[in-house]
């Protein structure tokens, strides 16, 4: 009786199944259902792929594998060694979920479901099954979930919090278009992506979102303002820090009432001498302005003595002053 190779009674949601016997007889009957594909592998390489139907294995319908086997004398009469991988071509679900961040560094948590199918069995078996040594649906689901989550987190990190927080349908469309090319490289077709939940994980960010949406301020500008406030608060904890480091770090952010005020004029002294150069009122008897150094009063041409500005005669030698 010829050997029969068939995937019998597959479980619901099962994607791949490995035929447990590696020794295949010539003339064996290979049965493939409408929703299946059978892939022949040897030494980690994919050779021949069979679609739906009942196939009798001969050297004619295994051309690629026959080329390899022909190096062994008598190969057409003896059982040959090969691995048969059945692949389901049905549509399958892929639950996903994880944590990430947006372009504004807002921490988010998300979960949902993606739908996919195997579009290229040979490429899929080469890149995933044989390449990753995955031969069970459980291991395959784990690999695909991690692969999908990694791609999704990378895409969400490029999107604004308001894009992904306000319209899940739009986010699903963006995610599908971004991830589909990567799935295509491993022989899969990403049919749809649906988010079932997406939220910020930090309660503080809910307050930020409310404030940003209510005021219309740019999210990046809001984060800059918040960073400045935190820096100012830290500087305020250290006496004297604001007078040195703080002013160097954020000089444009000083409020108008914080701008340094010009020093007030010294209190005018009664009977003082007014400097004709700067108008500063000097103490009585001052010969030079203590503000600008200008010589005060009248200098005697006879002895050089400096007299009060209103003096008519030199107080030292009595000479008449100009």
């Amino acid at each position: 009786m010829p050997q029969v190779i068939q995937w019998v009674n597959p479980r619901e949601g099962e994607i791949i199944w490995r035929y447990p016997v590696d020794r295949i007889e010539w003339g064996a009957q290979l049965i493939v259902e409408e929703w299946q594909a059978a892939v022949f592998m040897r030494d980690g390489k994919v050779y021949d792929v069979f679609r739906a139907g009942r196939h009798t294995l001969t050297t004619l319908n295994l051309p690629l594998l026959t080329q390899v086997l022909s190096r062994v004398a008598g190969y057409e009469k003896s059982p040959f060694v090969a691995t048969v991988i059945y692949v389901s071509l049905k549509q399958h679900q892929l639950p996903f979920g994880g944590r990430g961040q947006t372009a504004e560094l807002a921490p988010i948590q998300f979960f949902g479901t993606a739908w996919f199918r195997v579009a290229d069995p040979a490429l899929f078996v080469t890149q995933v099954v044989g390449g990753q040594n995955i031969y069970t649906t459980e291991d395959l689901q784990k690999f695909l979930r991690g692969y999908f989550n990694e791609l999704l987190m990378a895409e969400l990190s490029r999107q604004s919090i308001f894009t992904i927080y306000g319209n899940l349908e739009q986010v699903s469309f963006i995610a599908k278009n971004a991830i589909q090319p990567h799935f295509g490289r491993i022989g899969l077709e990403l049919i749809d992506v649906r988010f079932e939940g997406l939220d910020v994980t930090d309660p503080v960010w809910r307050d930020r979102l409310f404030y940003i949406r209510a005021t219309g301020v740019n999210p990046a500008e809001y984060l800059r303002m918040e960073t400045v406030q935190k820096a100012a608060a830290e500087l305020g904890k250290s006496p004297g820090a604001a007078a040195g480091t703080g002013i160097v770090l954020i000089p444009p952010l000083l409020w108008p009432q914080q701008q340094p005020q010009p020093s007030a004029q010294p209190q005018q002294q009664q009977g003082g001498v007014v400097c004709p150069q700067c108008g500063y009122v000097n103490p009585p008897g001052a010969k030079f302005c203590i503000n600008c150094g200008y010589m005060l009063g009248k200098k005697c041409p006879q002895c050089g003595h400096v007299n009060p500005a209103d003096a008519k005669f030199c107080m030292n030698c009595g000479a008449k002053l100009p």
Side-chain angles (χ1 to χ4, degrees):
M1 186 174 180
Q3 180 183 16
V4 178
I5 304 172
Q6 184 179 12
W7 188 3
V8 181
N9 298 324
R11 295 175 298 170
E12 182 66 27
E14 202 162 13
I15 304 173
I16 58 174
W17 179 74
R18 178 178 181 176
Y19 182 61
V21 180
D22 288 343
R23 295 180 63 83
I24 310 299
E25 298 177 0
W26 292 109
Q29 298 295 302
L30 175 69
I31 302 175
V32 184
E33 302 291 343
E34 288 288 341
W35 50 272
Q36 297 173 349
V39 181
F40 277 73
M41 294 181 62
R42 182 183 171 92
D43 301 326
K45 296 181 180 180
V46 171
Y47 288 97
D48 298 291
V49 180
F50 290 83
R51 296 285 182 160
R54 188 183 188 95
H55 310 275
T56 300
L57 301 182
T58 65
T59 57
L60 295 178
N61 57 18
L62 285 171
L64 298 180
L65 189 57
T66 298
Q67 292 179 13
V68 178
L69 297 174
S70 62
R71 301 169 187 171
V72 181
Y75 72 94
E76 71 275 13
K77 299 178 182 178
S78 304
F80 60 91
V81 177
T83 301
V84 181
I85 303 293
Y86 275 85
V87 179
S88 171
L89 304 180
K90 292 181 178 180
Q91 180 174 302
H92 300 280
Q93 289 188 359
L94 179 65
F96 66 85
R99 295 174 180 266
Q101 64 183 25
T102 66
E104 297 86 6
L105 304 183
I108 56 173
Q109 178 176 286
F110 57 87
F111 63 93
T113 304
W115 287 263
F116 71 95
R117 70 178 187 88
V118 178
D120 188 334
L123 181 60
F124 173 70
V125 171
T126 300
Q127 296 296 323
V128 180
V129 179
Q132 304 292 330
N133 291 321
I134 296 174
Y135 295 98
T136 66
T137 295
E138 290 75 15
D139 291 341
L140 178 60
Q141 284 278 6
K142 185 183 301 183
F143 169 80
L144 291 178
R145 189 177 298 111
Y147 185 67
F148 182 91
N149 281 340
E150 181 181 357
L151 295 171
L152 180 57
M153 286 188 290
E155 179 59 29
L156 292 179
S157 68
R158 292 189 284 266
Q159 301 295 327
S160 169
I161 180 65
F162 293 105
T163 301
I164 67 177
Y165 199 74
N167 192 337
L168 290 183
E169 185 175 353
Q170 181 182 359
V171 180
S172 299
F173 179 77
I174 292 173
K176 177 179 178 294
N177 288 341
I179 298 175
Q180 169 55 38
H182 298 278
F183 265 48
R185 295 190 188 103
I186 60 174
L188 299 178
E189 177 189 357
L190 185 60
I191 300 172
D192 199 4
V193 176
R194 290 294 172 185
F195 283 88
E196 299 168 20
L198 192 153
D199 197 4
V200 291
T201 57
D202 185 358
V204 176
W205 262 98
R206 291 191 180 91
D207 299 334
R208 292 170 176 165
L209 293 176
F210 177 80
Y211 175 82
I212 292 172
R213 179 162 291 180
T215 60
V217 66
N218 183 279
E221 177 63 18
Y222 176 85
L223 291 177
R224 189 191 71 83
M225 293 165 52
E226 189 176 70
T227 301
V228 169
Q229 291 176 352
K230 291 180 179 179
E234 291 299 321
L235 289 171
K237 296 177 182 179
S238 176
T245 308
I247 294 178
V248 173
L249 289 175
I250 48 175
L253 304 174
L254 293 173
W255 300 108
Q257 61 268 27
Q258 295 174 318
Q259 296 290 347
Q261 301 295 328
S263 57
Q265 288 278 3
Q267 185 177 3
Q268 294 188 0
Q269 300 186 36
Q270 188 173 4
V273 181
V274 178
C275 174
Q277 178 74 15
C278 66
Y280 187 85
V281 179
N282 294 272
K287 298 179 180 179
F288 298 91
C289 177
I290 62 176
N291 184 51
C292 67
Y294 188 80
M295 185 176 65
L296 304 174
K298 295 179 180 180
K299 186 175 182 180
C300 176
Q302 184 72 25
C303 67
H305 181 77
V306 179
N307 296 273
D310 56 350
K312 296 181 179 180
F313 296 92
C314 178
M315 298 174 59
N316 184 50
C317 65
K320 188 174 181 180
L321 299 175

